Amino acid sequence: MGPTASGKTDLAMQLCDRLPCELISVDSAMIYRGMDIGTAKPEREVLRAYPHRLVDILDPVEAYSAAQFRADALQAITEIQQAGRVPVLVGGTMLYFNALQQGLADLPEADPIIRARIEAEAAERGWPAIHARLAELDPEGARRLKPNDAQRLQRALEVVELTGKPISEHWREQGDAALPFDIIPIALSPGERSRLHQRIEQRFDIMLQAGFEDEVRALWERGDLQANMPSIRCVGYRQMWSYFNDEYDREMMRYKAIVATRQLAKRQLTWLRGWDGVHWLESESSNLVADVLKLSDAAVI
């Protein structure tokens, strides 16, 4: 695990050179076909040498949930273990990692009518007022959500209306998510935030030089993709899409994409700091593979 641009994929492939591993991608953007440069997806020759499961499994018009990821990942893990090999999950989508380890509550599908009503109320009174209403219905759930977390507040109220139970109760009923295997959680990150920011900026410029604009334009010209789709909301793609829609110029697109990627890295690090039992490794260390092998040996012992 780790923030974007921390070198996770390179380390995972080096492990494959030393151990009987198979890789499972934990990335909500690499699942899409035709989204290669902006997702930092390994090149075709690399993927042939180091196959990644759950890469290129969907068209960008399709959606994919954390629940679907958990089911697909568990199936892949089982198949890899039955073949006598070691599954290595690599990526930066912390929601997916969390879903795999903690399980997911059995929640109802979204209701567009209820959502529209909540959004209208929020537009009139503000999201803090929605948070206050949730606090009356579900104090525990409200304590876990910020007053301006629009998406989660909307979902929490929607669940109450659809099921008659607070979302916190659904969380408690999530049940035992114990997995039939041990996990070694490893987080890879540069020691200094400034170094990570530098790597993010350099990587985005390399993406632009590699043809990222042409990649997104091909998606934009399809005509069946919209800015609100999960695929187009991916960092970098969203900013390039706005550039094509003349919302700002190319230099502003670059700036906004880099800032959004830094914000993504910050959120990823926040998730990881709250992860129980995580082993932190310095991404620029020259002994990364050896450090991981030591951790795996200790876990087996």
Side-chain angles (χ1 to χ4, degrees):
M1 303 183 287
T4 185
S6 60
K8 302 180 294 295
T9 301
D10 287 343
L11 175 57
M13 293 189 296
Q14 291 177 53
L15 288 175
C16 288
D17 293 332
R18 298 288 298 274
L19 296 171
C21 296
E22 288 194 37
L23 305 181
I24 301 172
S25 173
V26 187
D27 190 296
S28 60
M30 287 191 190
I31 59 175
Y32 293 113
R33 295 185 290 271
M35 293 175 58
D36 303 329
I37 298 172
T39 63
K41 191 180 297 178
E43 295 182 357
R44 296 297 162 192
E45 313 84 71
V46 176
L47 287 175
R48 281 193 288 270
Y50 300 91
H52 288 53
R53 300 200 186 205
L54 305 187
V55 166
D56 289 339
I57 60 173
L58 294 178
D59 184 87
V61 78
E62 299 176 272
Y64 191 70
S65 68
Q68 289 172 295
F69 166 79
R70 188 173 197 269
D72 290 343
L74 286 173
Q75 180 179 342
I77 289 169
T78 300
E79 292 173 357
I80 293 169
Q81 289 186 318
Q82 288 177 345
R85 301 177 69 79
V86 181
V88 175
L89 293 103
V90 54
T93 301
M94 301 304 150
L95 178 63
Y96 285 5
F97 278 117
N98 189 66
L100 176 64
Q101 182 163 320
Q102 303 298 331
L104 292 162
D106 185 16
L107 298 175
E109 294 290 330
D111 187 303
I113 296 176
I114 293 176
R115 291 196 163 194
R117 187 170 69 248
I118 294 172
E119 287 178 356
E121 182 181 351
E124 180 180 347
R125 302 176 56 212
W127 285 106
I130 301 298
H131 185 268
R133 181 153 76 88
L134 178 65
E136 296 175 1
L137 299 170
D138 183 6
E140 180 184 346
R143 281 194 298 272
R144 295 172 63 173
L145 300 177
K146 296 180 180 180
N148 286 308
D149 192 343
Q151 183 176 354
R152 290 180 174 83
L153 287 171
Q154 181 188 58
R155 180 57 171 160
L157 281 175
E158 177 187 44
V159 168
V160 173
E161 291 198 34
L162 287 172
T163 68
K165 295 193 301 186
I167 196 168
S168 58
E169 187 172 335
H170 288 278
W171 290 334
R172 285 194 299 272
E173 293 174 354
Q174 195 163 303
D176 184 8
L179 298 171
F181 43 78
D182 294 323
I183 292 176
I184 307 172
I186 300 169
L188 192 64
S189 181
E192 296 183 11
R193 181 73 60 87
S194 61
R195 179 59 183 146
L196 180 60
H197 287 179
Q198 183 181 23
R199 291 177 66 163
I200 287 171
E201 183 171 357
Q202 290 174 343
R203 190 173 74 165
F204 190 73
D205 284 337
I206 291 171
M207 289 176 178
L208 290 175
Q209 295 167 12
F212 180 45
E213 183 173 342
D214 291 337
E215 176 177 278
V216 184
R217 188 174 295 279
L219 298 171
W220 189 67
E221 291 178 347
R222 281 179 38 164
D224 62 340
L225 299 173
Q226 305 298 326
N228 62 348
M229 290 180 172
S231 56
I232 307 305
R233 290 205 306 267
C234 292
V235 169
Y237 291 86
R238 179 171 67 249
Q239 289 74 29
M240 187 69 79
W241 207 265
S242 295
Y243 164 59
F244 291 155
N245 283 325
D246 296 323
E247 295 177 30
Y248 35 71
D249 62 21
R250 195 174 189 276
E251 185 59 32
M252 182 58 70
M253 174 275 296
R254 175 186 176 275
Y255 170 77
K256 285 182 174 290
I258 291 171
V259 170
T261 308
R262 289 176 178 175
Q263 292 170 339
L264 170 62
K266 182 179 179 180
R267 291 194 300 272
Q268 290 168 319
L269 286 168
T270 299
W271 268 88
L272 286 168
R273 290 191 188 101
W275 207 280
D276 290 336
V278 69
H279 303 278
W280 287 91
L281 297 181
E282 164 61 61
S283 62
E284 295 178 349
S285 167
S286 59
N287 300 311
L288 279 175
V289 174
D291 290 341
V292 173
L293 293 177
K294 289 178 184 176
L295 290 173
S296 61
D297 287 343
V300 171
I301 294 171

